[in-house]
Amino acid sequence: MIQLIAPDGTVTQPERLPDVSIRLRLYHLMRRARHFDERAWVLYRTGRMGVFPPYGGMEASQVGTAAALTPDDWLFPTYRDTGAALTYGLPLAQTIAYWRTSPHGWAMPENLKVLPFYIPIATQYPHAVGAALAERRRGTRNVAMAYIGDGGSSEGDFHEALNFAGALNAPCVFILQNNGWAISVPTRSQTRATNLSRRAEGYGIPGVRVDGNDVLATYRVTAEAVQRARDGEGPTLIETVTYRVKPHTVADDPSRYRTAEDTAGWDARDPVLRLRAHLLAEGHLTEEADAEITREIEAEFEEALRVADAYPEPTPAEILDHVFAEPTPQLVRQRAQILAEEGA
């Protein structure tokens, strides 16, 4: 398993460390992603957010992968990949609206090639292969990146997508976040495999296993896989080994299916604190600069929350918007029916 910095922040592979500017950017992005996750809990508990899948503790896995993309690439997130979408550029206010189940959050920005958060398990993998092949047919060097969990890797769509991508040499990067749990089922119960990245071998594509709590290692292996895809060398499967320290959703009670022994030791592997310790030890970050990052992130979120709170209340017909680029005859009839009922 590839690792560049240990849990205490000490360097294990100095020759592979990204530039300092990249390390500082990754730290800022992880802090920003964590702040959203923490504030989402508060908003949910005060009735200002819908049911939300937290990702606290998985910031390195999401930030380190999404940060390797450019705005011309594609991002296919699962429901737990809010941190990846924020890293890729999804606006904070729109993200808040999405998890409020508001139509103001449903339509992804036209200048951002990110798909809405996938709730069905593994369906995003074949879609990503299709997008990657479309980019190649258009003559671009753009890639598609898709996320999945360890549980999703047991779905048929996962295997079909890897075979599809391998056979056609699609410029695709598959991120498999092994966070230890598929809802309430531990990885050890849903498969006998102990190295999920080796599933790539069956489809003739590279598989890489990385410490998913080490954002520098995660970024490095992802950037290399993205470059291979751009260069026409085909897809890569990256298993990021991390842990879901939070519940499945904010409405979940993990004490019903896991024990304290299951989660023991993972707090000490916190990805944000790991990079912070490294940056402080190397002299690239000061306590004063860290405090300024906190103030900046808090101010940005509060402004986004103000914008999201100001969105007008949705109308019933808006549920039909953004389903297709052009509405189908059925949607046209349904809209007319809703408007007629509203008028009555």
Side-chain angles (χ1 to χ4, degrees):
M1 185 165 63
I2 298 172
Q3 181 188 87
L4 302 189
I5 54 174
D8 63 359
T10 56
V11 179
T12 57
Q13 294 193 56
E15 71 282 359
R16 299 194 68 187
L17 289 178
D19 291 341
V20 174
S21 60
I22 294 176
R23 285 178 256 173
L24 290 170
R25 175 172 173 258
L26 292 172
Y27 179 67
H28 187 280
L29 289 169
M30 282 203 298
R31 289 285 310 279
R32 184 172 180 262
R34 173 157 296 184
H35 186 73
F36 186 97
D37 187 76
E38 292 172 344
R39 291 290 282 124
W41 278 84
V42 176
L43 293 174
Y44 170 75
R45 289 170 177 166
T46 55
R48 300 172 67 192
M49 180 81 87
V51 173
F52 173 76
Y55 53 85
M58 297 174 60
E59 292 88 355
S61 177
Q62 297 192 18
V63 170
T65 49
L69 297 176
T70 73
D72 293 323
D73 298 318
W74 287 90
L75 186 76
F76 291 76
T78 74
Y79 54 82
R80 196 177 304 283
D81 297 317
T82 301
L86 291 173
T87 298
Y88 190 57
L90 190 64
L92 281 171
Q94 186 168 356
T95 309
I96 294 169
Y98 181 93
W99 290 114
R100 286 178 168 177
T101 65
S102 167
H104 301 290
W106 294 348
M108 297 295 105
E110 291 186 5
N111 64 339
L112 200 65
K113 293 156 77 171
V114 58
L115 277 289
F117 299 102
Y118 279 75
I119 305 302
I121 306 299
T123 55
Q124 64 276 10
Y125 257 42
H127 296 171
V129 180
L133 292 172
E135 289 288 355
R136 188 175 70 188
R137 186 168 183 176
R138 292 174 58 224
T140 76
R141 286 169 52 84
N142 303 332
V143 308
M145 181 179 292
Y147 291 77
I148 206 167
D150 48 290
S153 71
S154 294
E155 293 282 345
D157 290 275
F158 169 85
H159 298 275
E160 291 159 6
L162 263 61
N163 188 61
F164 187 23
L168 298 180
N169 205 44
C172 206
V173 179
F174 299 108
I175 308 299
L176 196 174
Q177 297 187 97
N178 185 352
N179 67 12
W181 295 91
I183 307 180
S184 58
V185 180
T187 307
R188 62 180 179 270
S189 295
Q190 56 116 344
T191 179
R192 289 186 65 180
T194 57
N195 184 337
L196 301 184
S197 69
R198 296 190 64 183
R199 289 180 169 176
E201 296 176 12
Y203 305 102
I205 68 176
V208 184
R209 198 167 198 247
V210 63
D211 183 343
N213 282 25
D214 176 357
V215 70
L216 303 185
T218 302
Y219 173 82
R220 171 63 72 183
V221 300
T222 306
E224 291 171 352
V226 167
Q227 191 60 49
R228 285 196 298 272
R230 292 200 202 287
D231 293 341
E233 297 177 21
T236 303
L237 174 67
I238 300 173
E239 179 190 5
T240 63
V241 181
T242 180
Y243 195 78
R244 197 195 80 207
V245 294
K246 299 292 182 68
H248 177 63
T249 72
V250 289
D252 177 37
D253 177 10
S255 66
R256 298 177 61 185
Y257 55 82
R258 71 184 185 194
T259 66
E261 288 74 21
D262 288 325
T263 58
W266 281 98
D267 284 342
R269 306 181 199 182
D270 184 291
V272 178
L273 297 181
R274 179 186 300 200
L275 184 56
R276 182 180 187 273
H278 166 72
L279 293 172
L280 287 171
E282 296 285 322
H284 303 311
L285 181 72
T286 64
E287 296 288 354
E288 294 77 13
D290 198 33
E292 179 58 31
I293 290 173
T294 299
R295 288 190 290 270
E296 177 185 333
I297 289 171
E298 290 176 347
E300 181 192 19
F301 185 90
E302 292 309 312
E303 173 59 19
L305 183 59
R306 184 194 65 78
V307 172
D309 286 344
Y311 286 143
E313 285 295 314
T315 61
E318 286 184 78
I319 196 172
L320 303 178
D321 292 342
H322 314 300
V323 178
F324 293 104
E326 298 293 335
T328 63
Q330 294 90 340
L331 289 176
V332 172
R333 290 196 300 270
Q334 290 168 2
R335 176 180 290 280
Q337 180 181 349
I338 290 173
L339 294 176
E341 291 175 356
E342 283 188 274

